[in-house]
Amino acid sequence: DVKDCRIVIIGREEHLYLEGGIIYGGIYSLEARIKRNSPLSTHHHKAMKSRQPQQPKERRRVGIMCTSSSSYDLVKSFVSGGVGGLAAVLVGHPFDLVKVRMQTGATAGTSVFGTMRQTLASEGIRGLYRGVSAPIFAVSPIYAISFWGYDFGKLLVQMSKSSSSSESAKEAPLSIPELCIAGGISALPTTAIMAPTERIKCLLQVQTASSTNAPKYNGMMDCAVQIFRSGGIRSLYKGTVLTLMRDVPGSIAWFGVYEVTKKQLVKWQGVEDPSRLSMSAVIVAGGLAGMACWTVSIPADVLKSRFQTAEEGKYRGVVDVYRHLIKTDGPGALFTGIRPALIRAFPANAACFLSMELTKKALG
């Protein structure tokens, strides 16, 4: 619970503050020269003399971080991110199904709610959650790694500042652009799980059930096994580059808008600590963050959906998917599915961030 402290490092006083388990204040690159005859106070001089009797001069790099607190904060981010992701899937999956079917041409000429009505009529409520097993199975680790990656990205950015910036810059909190960089970093480790999950989810979502034609895949595991048997691990990870092209800028917008909105809401609500924001404020910040994320990432998502659901050999790569889409459907097709994506984005991401923040508070 320490928010502010002062620490004396070999006779030098540094003003520090704690944020997210990390003590800021330029101390990552602080160098202290320990001299046996240094002009320190008697107390410090005696202590140092007893420790280093034979070394007239020693140079030490002092790196101070609240290790136990920082490690626990990363664990909290991991756990709370998983809970938040589960909430996002349960709230937003029906709209995600509509988005994918619109993007792949499975419901050409049908509106968002028209597609939902059509799905309900032909497949029932279970139809709206077709393909949900894949994201539910993977969503906790994906979101857990994402929020963990964001906090770890902030740590990396802070360490980079400490090694190259002036003392005043080191002591300042991370700026919004720096937080956006951390957000982009968070998307990198999630791709290992996200790419095959998206491949399975999209294939399950585009297939429809009817009385005459049985579905090709009988669930997530059957789909994964069939993909692996037909094309190996490479087929399972088909669309990885497009997943990165979607998620890196999307994560930059996601975390960036969330932080900007929280910063403004802190001023409006007159609180000093962002953790004291009201639940409604977190809902607004999370919902806007989700809408910003999908506005930025929808073109890459369209290309990814088409590439991952296409028959093997139809496209030679990312550029070929793009050229084929522009040639056949025009530039506007890059934003196919943006309406269900944005309709889904606000409630799903509001639920995600609210669940994440509440879980963090519950963990202490």
Side-chain angles (χ1 to χ4, degrees), residues 10 31 40 74 79 141 166 335:
I10 316 175
E31 292 183 358
L40 302 176
L74 289 174
V79 174
S166 63
F335 289 90

Side-chain angles (χ1 to χ4, degrees), residues 309-322:
T309 58
E311 295 179 2
E312 293 296 332
K314 181 176 181 178
Y315 301 116
R316 294 189 299 273
V318 175
V319 177
D320 192 40
V321 181
Y322 173 78

Side-chain angles (χ1 to χ4, degrees), residues 22-102:
I22 302 169
I23 300 180
Y24 294 98
I27 52 179
Y28 290 102
S29 59
L30 175 65
E31 292 183 358
R33 294 177 181 274
I34 304 175
K35 299 181 180 179
R36 188 173 61 178
N37 299 317
S38 59
L40 302 176
S41 67
T42 304
H43 173 75
H44 285 129
H45 180 71
K46 288 180 179 178
M48 290 171 60
K49 188 173 181 180
S50 64
R51 292 175 188 169
Q52 303 289 342
Q54 301 300 325
Q55 298 183 23
K57 183 177 181 179
E58 178 186 349
R59 184 169 178 156
R60 233 181 241 178
R61 180 170 291 276
V62 181
I64 298 180
M65 185 171 67
C66 187
T67 306
S68 59
S69 177
S70 180
S71 300
Y72 182 59
D73 277 348
L74 289 174
V75 171
K76 283 201 300 182
S77 296
F78 188 87
V79 174
S80 59
V83 174
L86 186 60
V89 170
L90 293 176
V91 171
H93 187 81
F95 292 102
D96 187 67
L97 178 134
V98 172
K99 171 183 70 69
V100 170
R101 289 189 173 183
M102 291 179 71

Side-chain angles (χ1 to χ4, degrees), residues 340-360:
L342 293 181
I343 292 170
R344 166 189 176 272
F346 194 96
N349 287 277
C352 173
F353 278 100
L354 180 62
S355 299
M356 181 272 295
E357 295 286 5
L358 290 175
T359 305
K360 263 191 174 181

Side-chain angles (χ1 to χ4, degrees), residues 193-258:
I193 303 174
M194 181 69 82
T197 301
E198 285 284 299
R199 169 94 156 116
I200 294 167
K201 183 202 72 171
C202 288
L203 285 172
L204 289 173
Q205 286 179 328
V206 296
Q207 72 173 4
T208 57
S210 67
S211 57
T212 55
N213 297 317
K216 182 179 180 181
Y217 306 111
N218 296 315
M220 180 189 71
M221 292 305 299
D222 181 55
C223 182
V225 169
Q226 288 194 47
I227 293 170
F228 185 78
R229 284 177 178 172
S230 63
I233 194 72
R234 186 174 180 178
S235 180
L236 202 57
Y237 275 85
K238 181 180 179 180
T240 298
V241 173
L242 283 165
T243 302
L244 277 171
M245 289 173 63
R246 180 195 69 174
D247 289 353
V248 171
S251 295
I252 290 172
W254 199 47
F255 285 110
V257 170
Y258 183 66

